[in-house]
């Protein structure tokens, strides 16, 4: 696991503490069946076990009650390979990925109203309250990382009421190929991109040599991308 994430044990433990502390402070609200609202936190308590490299947490009663109410919970949660999000540096990129991957087979998500989307991404009311900041620091950054480091290629579409943006929906590129348009790529980004493209069945079916080895296809992609004018230092 640590090898996949590319972090040391100490760094992983510090990240766990930071994540637990952030989650411990987070609040959320649930609309009950009688149309009343319940405000709660995610975590009731946390027990640090540094010698064991873990943190034991206890979920609050409200969280446990609502999770156990789900019948056939497999239908409500989407599984994905950890390596698809391991290189996403923004927590909002990870949350966006988890939100959008559920609609991969459909090709696009439903419309998410702004306040609902902010809530699903775990953004406090005082964070990125201006639309420009929300788009730049959350949506644009998250989508850039998802398109570069995961198996999805997405873009968002604004929904307006008059001149006001009231929501967004996300389009999912069916072929899952990454677009290298006017964006300049570093050598590291080219390596990541070539690896991703070489593993994509649709892309490989169109451009790989019949009977060729994937590693050779990946090297060929790296060379072609490096020889383009889109490489920066």
């Amino acid at each position: 696991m640590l090898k996949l994430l590319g972090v040391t044990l100490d760094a992983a433990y510090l990240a766990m503490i930071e994540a637990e502390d952030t989650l411990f402070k987070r609040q959320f609200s649930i609309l009950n069946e009688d149309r009343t609202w319940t405000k709660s936190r995610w975590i009731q308590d946390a027990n640090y076990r540094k010698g064991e490299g873990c943190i034991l947490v206890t979920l609050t009663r409200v969280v446990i009650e609502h999770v156990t109410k789900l019948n056939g919970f497999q239908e409500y949660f989407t599984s994905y390979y950890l390596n698809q999000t391991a290189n996403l540096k923004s927590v909002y990129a990870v949350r966006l990925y988890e939100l959008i991957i559920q609609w991969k087979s459909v090709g696009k998500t439903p419309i998410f109203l702004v306040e609902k989307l902010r809530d699903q991404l775990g953004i406090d009311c005082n964070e990125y309250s201006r639309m420009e900041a929300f788009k730049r620091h959350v949506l644009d950054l998250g989508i850039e990382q998802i398109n570069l480091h995961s198996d999805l290629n997405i873009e968002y579409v604004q929904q307006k009421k008059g001149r006001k943006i009231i929501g967004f929906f996300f389009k999912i590129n069916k072929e899952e190929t990454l677009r290298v348009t006017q964006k300049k790529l570093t050598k590291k980004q080219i390596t990541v991109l070539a690896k991703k493209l070489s593993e994509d069945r649709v892309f490989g079916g169109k451009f790989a040599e019949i009977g060729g080895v994937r590693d050779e296809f990946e090297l060929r992609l790296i060379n072609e991308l490096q020889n383009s004018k889109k490489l920066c230092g």
Side-chain angles (χ1 to χ4, degrees), residues 52-226:
E52 301 175 26
C54 67
I55 300 175
L56 303 179
V57 298
T58 303
L59 300 177
T60 59
R61 173 188 57 81
V62 173
V63 172
I64 294 174
E65 285 182 354
H66 281 78
V67 169
T68 55
K69 283 181 181 179
L70 297 178
N71 295 321
F73 64 88
Q74 295 90 342
E75 299 177 8
Y76 292 85
F77 299 96
T78 302
S79 299
Y80 59 86
Y81 292 111
L82 181 61
N83 61 7
Q84 297 298 342
T85 57
N87 292 319
L88 302 182
K89 305 303 181 184
S90 166
V91 64
Y92 301 124
V94 176
R95 290 171 179 166
L96 268 176
Y97 181 93
E98 293 173 340
L99 184 64
I100 296 171
I101 191 65
Q102 303 174 58
W103 304 94
K104 181 178 178 180
S105 61
V106 179
K108 68 177 182 178
T109 71
I111 297 173
F112 298 104
L113 297 180
V114 172
E115 291 306 314
K116 179 66 173 179
L117 181 59
R118 287 175 58 90
D119 184 57
Q120 288 178 306
L121 297 177
I123 301 175
D124 287 339
C125 59
N126 295 324
E127 291 182 295
Y128 310 124
S129 54
R130 296 180 59 185
M131 180 57 67
E132 181 275 332
F134 174 68
K135 289 167 62 176
R136 178 158 52 92
H137 294 289
V138 178
L139 296 185
D140 293 338
L141 177 61
I143 287 176
E144 179 182 12
Q145 292 187 11
I146 289 172
N147 287 349
L148 183 60
H149 297 300
S150 81
D151 59 339
L152 293 181
N153 179 252
I154 61 176
E155 59 183 309
Y156 66 79
V157 179
Q158 301 177 165
Q159 298 296 296
K160 291 186 175 182
K161 186 175 183 180
R163 305 177 72 177
K164 181 180 180 181
I165 298 174
I166 62 171
F168 300 87
F169 72 88
F170 300 86
K171 293 182 179 180
I172 305 170
N173 187 337
K174 286 284 188 177
E175 295 187 355
E176 299 175 1
T177 56
L178 297 182
R179 292 169 296 176
V180 189
T181 53
Q182 301 303 314
K183 180 180 178 180
K184 293 183 178 181
L185 300 177
T186 64
K187 292 180 180 179
K188 182 177 180 180
Q189 289 173 327
I190 281 182
T191 301
V192 173
L193 176 59
K195 179 176 176 59
K196 179 177 175 59
L197 292 177
S198 69
E199 294 173 347
D200 186 279
R201 293 184 178 181
V202 176
F203 185 86
K206 291 182 177 180
F207 301 105
E209 298 178 354
I210 298 177
V213 180
R214 189 183 64 79
D215 289 346
E216 295 177 352
F217 182 39
E218 182 178 332
L219 288 175
R220 179 161 63 86
L221 289 172
I222 291 175
N223 290 331
E224 291 179 358
L225 289 169
Q226 287 179 336

